[in-house]
Amino acid sequence: MVQDCIIVGGGIAGLQAAIQLGRYSTYDVLVIDSGEGRSTLCRNYHNILGWPLGISGEELRKRGREQAEGTGIRFVQDKVITAARSDAGTILLEGESGIKYEAVTILLATGVSDRIPEIPGLISTLGSSVYICPDCDGYEIQGKLTVVMGAGDAGANMALILAERTRELTYVNHEALPLSSKLMEQLRMMGISYIEAKITEIRQASEGQIEQIVLDDGNVLLAERGFIAFGGNWVHSELADQLGAKLSPNGHVKSNPRSKQTSVDNVWVAGDVALHAEQVTVAMGEGSIAAIWIHKALRERAGLT
């Protein structure tokens, strides 16, 4: 069966697009979701309209899926590994399951995976008291005793960004990667403490609340908040690349800023895999925009415009 649209990725951008397309009550739309992504890790988003006390990524995804299914959108769990154009101009996808899929249009909402070392206690604090995005959650560390856990220049740059939020700031270079002399001097000038040591454990005062960072040299750092910045994040743009879409030098997928269509016909992109601020609220907006323009393209194909 040829779908009108396949959405690859069931995170925030993909779900918002699915809801928008489902509400047209016209199209056969399939969401292929691997069940992974940043939103599966975040314990609490605090910067979303209407959720001042926060909502977890898992709960947001659950509610979004139920809302989309209520409009007739279908979901399947699979991970798409290949994408190609058929002789007829449709888009052919194949999942790890071996199942083949075909669609007139596709939306790639495949996201980004942060490089997160296996530090005991770290994952369970993400989104509650340890954060990734300074634009999303810099507010949460205002005046708090904060430790940036990172690697090399990536961690140093994060610490410098956060210095305007709190003066009680320490950067732990977990992997002991080299820092540029310029960044080292900037850390010193901003009064940011610098430690080069491996982190062996994150201890919590209560569920999700960071309290201590244990180092391999035996030292223990107190912390009310944390940020991570290890660099080397994985942008999941492989499918876009296989279809010939233009990528930016950092691997994100380029698109028309108005429609979110890529440089390839009938291929759209939304969310963190695209060129944007990598925020959940932006991902929602991009998902809606892409869906609206997919709707326009399908109407045009059907001769309705």
Side-chain angles (χ1 to χ4, degrees):
M1 176 181 177
V2 180
Q3 306 292 320
D4 292 310
C5 181
I6 289 178
I7 298 171
V8 184
I12 307 306
L15 287 170
Q16 190 67 63
I19 291 166
Q20 181 67 36
L21 284 170
R23 288 172 62 85
Y24 289 121
S25 306
T26 303
Y27 307 116
D28 291 319
V29 178
L30 178 67
V31 178
I32 305 175
D33 182 22
S34 68
E36 301 171 350
R38 278 176 164 172
S39 56
T40 65
L41 298 176
C42 184
R43 299 301 192 274
N44 222 345
Y45 290 111
H46 286 100
N47 64 330
I48 300 175
L49 176 67
W51 296 97
L53 299 180
I55 182 171
S56 72
E58 288 282 19
E59 181 64 19
L60 196 58
R61 287 171 70 118
K62 176 179 176 290
R63 294 185 184 210
R65 176 165 177 161
E66 290 172 352
Q67 190 173 347
E69 287 176 330
T71 66
I73 302 297
R74 294 186 301 112
F75 286 75
V76 62
Q77 184 162 346
D78 201 353
K79 184 173 183 178
V80 178
I81 55 175
T82 64
R85 184 80 67 174
S86 74
D87 292 339
T90 56
I91 299 159
L92 305 175
L93 305 174
E94 184 173 354
E96 280 186 342
S97 64
I99 297 174
K100 293 179 171 59
Y101 309 91
E102 186 173 2
V104 176
T105 64
I106 67 167
L107 170 63
L108 298 174
T110 44
V112 169
S113 293
D114 298 280
R115 188 171 71 85
I116 304 175
E118 293 185 8
I119 300 172
L122 178 55
I123 292 295
S124 60
T125 62
L126 289 179
S128 293
S129 58
V130 176
Y131 308 100
I132 294 173
C133 171
D135 295 308
C136 305
D137 294 310
Y139 177 87
E140 302 297 330
I141 72 164
Q142 194 78 31
K144 300 287 187 181
L145 182 60
T146 302
V147 176
V148 176
M149 297 166 274
D153 288 354
N157 281 315
M158 178 67 78
L160 290 167
I161 291 170
L162 296 173
E164 64 188 56
R165 292 289 192 170
T166 180
R167 289 299 177 184
E168 298 184 273
L169 192 60
T170 299
Y171 168 37
V172 178
N173 186 352
H174 170 71
E175 296 175 345
L177 294 182
L179 260 68
S180 71
S181 56
K182 179 181 178 181
L183 286 176
M184 187 67 84
E185 176 62 16
Q186 288 177 317
L187 291 175
R188 188 191 65 78
M189 290 181 63
M190 293 298 295
I192 299 170
S193 300
Y194 174 73
I195 298 173
E196 198 169 282
K198 187 177 180 63
I199 301 166
T200 59
E201 183 186 359
I202 306 297
R203 293 175 180 166
Q204 300 175 45
S206 57
E207 186 176 358
Q209 177 55 55
I210 189 171
E211 182 179 43
Q212 296 179 337
I213 296 171
V214 183
L215 306 180
D216 66 350
D217 60 8
N219 286 319
V220 176
L221 305 178
L222 297 178
E224 296 173 285
R225 297 289 186 271
F227 255 85
I228 62 171
F230 293 98
N233 294 345
W234 180 9
V235 183
H236 297 284
S237 54
E238 300 88 356
L239 299 177
D241 191 38
Q242 290 173 25
L243 290 167
K246 292 181 180 178
L247 307 182
S248 67
N250 64 4
H252 290 269
V253 185
K254 293 183 176 182
S255 65
N256 182 306
R258 185 181 180 197
S259 68
K260 305 311 299 177
Q261 185 170 219
T262 70
S263 58
V264 179
D265 288 344
N266 294 326
V267 178
W268 279 260
V269 66
D272 290 351
V273 71
L275 279 169
H276 81 165
E278 297 190 25
Q279 292 195 50
V280 62
T281 50
V282 176
M284 289 179 181
E286 289 189 347
S288 288
I289 291 169
I292 289 167
W293 283 86
I294 289 169
H295 167 62
K296 292 176 185 289
L298 290 171
R299 280 179 57 84
E300 184 175 353
R301 178 184 174 86
L304 299 176
T305 57

